[in-house]
């Protein structure tokens, strides 16, 4: 069951959400504060500023990072241990008061965030910070499982792909599974022992996606990761995800088979739980109407072809759907945003530096072994 790519796709972070699923208003509120207060999550009055309990501050910090809306970087003062937070450009695009959808009123925005959550992206963004989510949506062999079976699957994948010293305690994985169910499932049973369980039943917007449904009662209860056509997933958001995924394979104009888009781990088909025929039908009308896109067939295989770099085209399609946010007066370019928040660049540089150091150490070790 080992998947050699898992270590490249995720960072081993478990239970950082304090068992709280993301709630209505959290991401917008955190973004609006972090814009001006990079030290927000470490302030004593952070609960007052954000209007939540102390544990919820930690949860808001985690979810802001996991959705790739906030990046953390070291303090300018090397003696300061606390990390500073900076909002990413995509957070500005989505969550600012004049952004695409600051209050997440469009269900398409929830699908978009779900895609960002499970995505592993090149710098300056990041790997997926929700490994339990990534495993269950992308790698789990069955679509229906009990809580204990989900815990077992996640544990097995983690232990098969990471060093034993890096693997989490079973309780951390159990909390992830509990949080995942609270986040997505509509027909949940209230758990009186879980913090915020009742409020999560009412306040997790991601339940609208219908990705998980319960079957049975009590100890016999299982959870099914649904699949099929997604009537509330806008075609532009799905096309964005398809092109975004293609851009990780090549930055140039070209094509990608619809089979890969639908079935590869980390693909839109896995993330949104859509099979190839359903995915193709969902994007066909938009693709046929867009001058830069085309569905082509060769040797019995259908592919999505794009005449421009896929990343650029992805954002063009998405921005068009949200009313051309990037064309609004005063909207910053990515370069403008990085100049305003240089910590975003330094965080990426620091990661690259650590990666280079690890590679150098591994090379040195291998050379020693060769010489011995």
């Amino acid at each position: 069951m080992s998947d050699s790519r898992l270590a490249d796709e995720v960072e081993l972070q478990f239970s950082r959400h304090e068992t709280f699923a993301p709630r209505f208003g959290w991401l917008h509120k955190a973004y609006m504060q972090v814009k001006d207060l990079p030290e927000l999550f470490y302030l004593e009055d952070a609960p007052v500023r954000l209007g939540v309990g102390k544990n919820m501050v930690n949860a808001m910090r985690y979810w802001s990072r996991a959705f790739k809306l906030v990046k953390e970087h070291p303090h300018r003062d090397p003696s300061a241990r606390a990390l500073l937070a900076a909002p990413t450009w995509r957070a500005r695009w989505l969550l600012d008061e004049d952004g695409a959808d600051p209050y997440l009123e469009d269900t398409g925005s929830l699908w978009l965030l779900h895609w960002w959550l499970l995505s592993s992206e090149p710098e300056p963004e990041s790997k997926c910070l929700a490994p339990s989510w990534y495993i269950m949506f992308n790698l789990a062999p069955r679509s229906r499982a009990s809580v204990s079976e989900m815990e077992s699957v996640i544990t097995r994948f983690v232990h098969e792909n990471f060093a034993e010293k890096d693997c989490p305690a079973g309780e951390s994985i159990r909390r992830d599974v509990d949080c995942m169910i609270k986040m997505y499932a509509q027909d949940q049973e209230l758990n009186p022992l879980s913090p915020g369980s009742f409020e999560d039943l009412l306040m997790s917007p991601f339940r609208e996606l219908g990705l998980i449904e319960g079957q049975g009662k009590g100890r016999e209860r299982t959870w099914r990761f649904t699949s099929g056509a997604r009537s509330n997933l806008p075609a532009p958001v799905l096309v964005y995800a398809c092109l975004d995924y293609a851009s990780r394979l090549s930055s140039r104009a070209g094509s990608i088979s619809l089979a890969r888009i639908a079935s590869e781990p980390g693909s839109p088909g896995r993330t949104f739980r859509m099979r190839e025929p359903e995915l193709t039908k969902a994007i066909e009308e938009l693709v046929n109407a867009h001058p830069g896109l085309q569905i082509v067939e060769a040797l019995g295989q259908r592919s999505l072809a794009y005449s421009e770099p896929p990343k650029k085209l992805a954002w063009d399609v998405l921005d068009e759907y949200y009313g051309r946010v990037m064309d609004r007066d005063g909207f910053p370019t990515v370069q403008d945003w990085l100049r305003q928040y240089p910590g975003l660049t330094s965080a990426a540089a620091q990661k690259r530096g650590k990666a280079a150091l690890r590679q150098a150490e591994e090379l040195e070790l291998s050379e020693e072994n060769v010489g011995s």
Side-chain angles (χ1 to χ4, degrees):
M1 188 179 289
S2 176
D3 185 283
S4 60
R5 291 172 296 181
L6 184 60
D8 296 327
E9 301 296 319
V10 306
E11 287 190 17
L12 288 187
Q13 298 199 11
F14 296 87
S15 196
R16 302 289 179 89
H17 42 68
E18 305 276 357
T19 75
F20 294 107
R23 297 185 178 182
F24 285 105
W26 273 13
L27 299 177
H28 172 70
K29 192 177 293 185
Y31 162 76
M32 294 300 290
Q33 291 280 342
V34 164
K35 276 203 308 181
D36 302 314
L37 283 172
E39 68 277 18
L40 168 70
F41 297 116
Y42 292 95
L43 296 176
E44 287 188 12
D45 66 345
V48 176
R49 291 176 179 274
L50 294 170
V52 298
K54 186 175 181 180
N55 285 353
M56 288 186 180
V57 172
N58 295 332
M60 292 174 77
R61 175 192 174 199
Y62 167 75
W63 288 117
S64 294
R65 293 175 59 237
F67 285 116
K68 302 175 180 65
L69 302 170
V70 163
K71 296 283 288 185
E72 292 186 336
H73 59 91
H75 200 286
R76 290 179 294 275
D77 180 356
S79 65
R81 298 181 62 186
L83 295 173
L84 299 179
T88 60
W89 178 86
R90 69 177 57 183
R92 167 65 180 86
W93 176 86
L94 179 65
L95 295 174
D96 208 88
E97 289 294 343
D98 65 344
D101 188 12
Y103 301 103
L104 306 181
E105 297 169 297
D106 188 326
T107 306
S109 303
L110 300 175
W111 285 109
L112 180 63
L113 285 164
H114 174 70
W115 170 250
W116 288 345
L117 174 66
L118 270 66
S119 294
S120 177
E121 303 174 2
E123 296 294 353
E125 302 303 341
S126 64
K127 293 182 179 182
C128 172
L129 302 185
S132 295
W133 277 249
Y134 185 92
I135 290 169
M136 289 309 303
F137 278 93
N138 287 294
L139 304 176
R142 293 185 296 169
S143 61
R144 182 183 288 108
S146 66
V147 168
S148 61
E149 287 170 336
M150 283 193 263
E151 293 170 15
S152 176
V153 167
I154 295 167
T155 300
R156 187 156 65 248
F157 268 106
V158 170
H159 281 265
E160 288 179 352
N161 289 280
F162 293 91
E164 189 68 29
K165 63 180 178 63
D166 297 324
C167 295
E171 179 61 28
S172 295
I173 292 177
R174 188 171 302 115
R175 288 173 180 166
D176 269 7
V177 171
D178 177 57
C179 186
M180 195 185 315
I181 291 169
K182 287 194 294 187
M183 180 172 174
Y184 293 109
Q186 293 182 335
D187 46 352
Q188 310 172 45
E189 293 178 325
L190 178 63
N191 179 4
L193 300 179
S194 176
S197 182
F198 178 72
E199 290 85 354
D200 281 331
L201 291 181
L202 301 175
M203 300 189 69
S204 174
F206 292 89
R207 295 169 63 220
E208 294 180 29
L209 306 186
L211 283 165
I212 300 179
E213 64 180 21
Q215 299 179 332
K217 298 289 183 182
R219 293 183 179 180
E220 304 299 319
R221 192 162 177 77
T222 59
W223 300 96
R224 186 173 77 91
F225 287 74
T226 64
S227 62
R230 302 295 184 185
S231 60
N232 62 353
L233 170 55
V237 174
L238 180 54
V239 170
Y240 162 86
C242 294
L243 291 167
D244 188 36
Y245 182 68
S247 73
R248 296 169 205 172
L249 307 176
S250 173
S251 61
R252 299 178 179 179
S255 66
I256 182 172
S257 74
L258 291 168
R260 295 186 69 179
I261 292 174
S263 61
E264 286 186 343
S267 68
R270 291 289 189 96
T271 300
F272 299 143
R273 310 290 291 193
M274 298 176 73
R275 293 177 286 266
E276 184 181 344
E278 300 149 352
L279 190 149
T280 303
K281 184 178 180 181
I283 68 172
E284 218 159 13
E285 185 176 345
L286 187 151
V287 169
N288 290 339
H290 196 289
L293 296 170
Q294 188 179 5
I295 292 178
V296 298
E297 186 167 349
L299 301 175
Q301 177 176 270
R302 305 186 81 189
S303 298
L304 175 65
Y306 32 92
S307 60
E308 300 177 43
K311 192 76 168 181
K312 175 182 179 298
L313 201 51
W315 276 101
D316 183 65
V317 169
L318 188 66
D319 198 48
E320 172 69 27
Y321 173 71
Y322 282 97
R324 290 291 176 194
V325 178
M326 288 186 260
D327 291 343
R328 296 173 187 172
D329 290 343
F331 187 84
T333 64
V334 174
Q335 292 72 26
D336 291 338
W337 197 251
L338 291 177
R339 282 191 288 270
Q340 185 174 348
Y341 295 97
L344 293 170
T345 305
S346 65
Q350 184 186 50
K351 274 195 172 184
R352 287 193 294 270
K354 288 182 178 178
L357 180 60
R358 283 197 302 271
Q359 290 172 357
E361 290 172 345
E362 290 169 0
L363 178 61
E364 184 178 341
L365 181 59
S366 66
E367 288 174 345
E368 289 175 0
N369 291 338
V370 169
S372 60

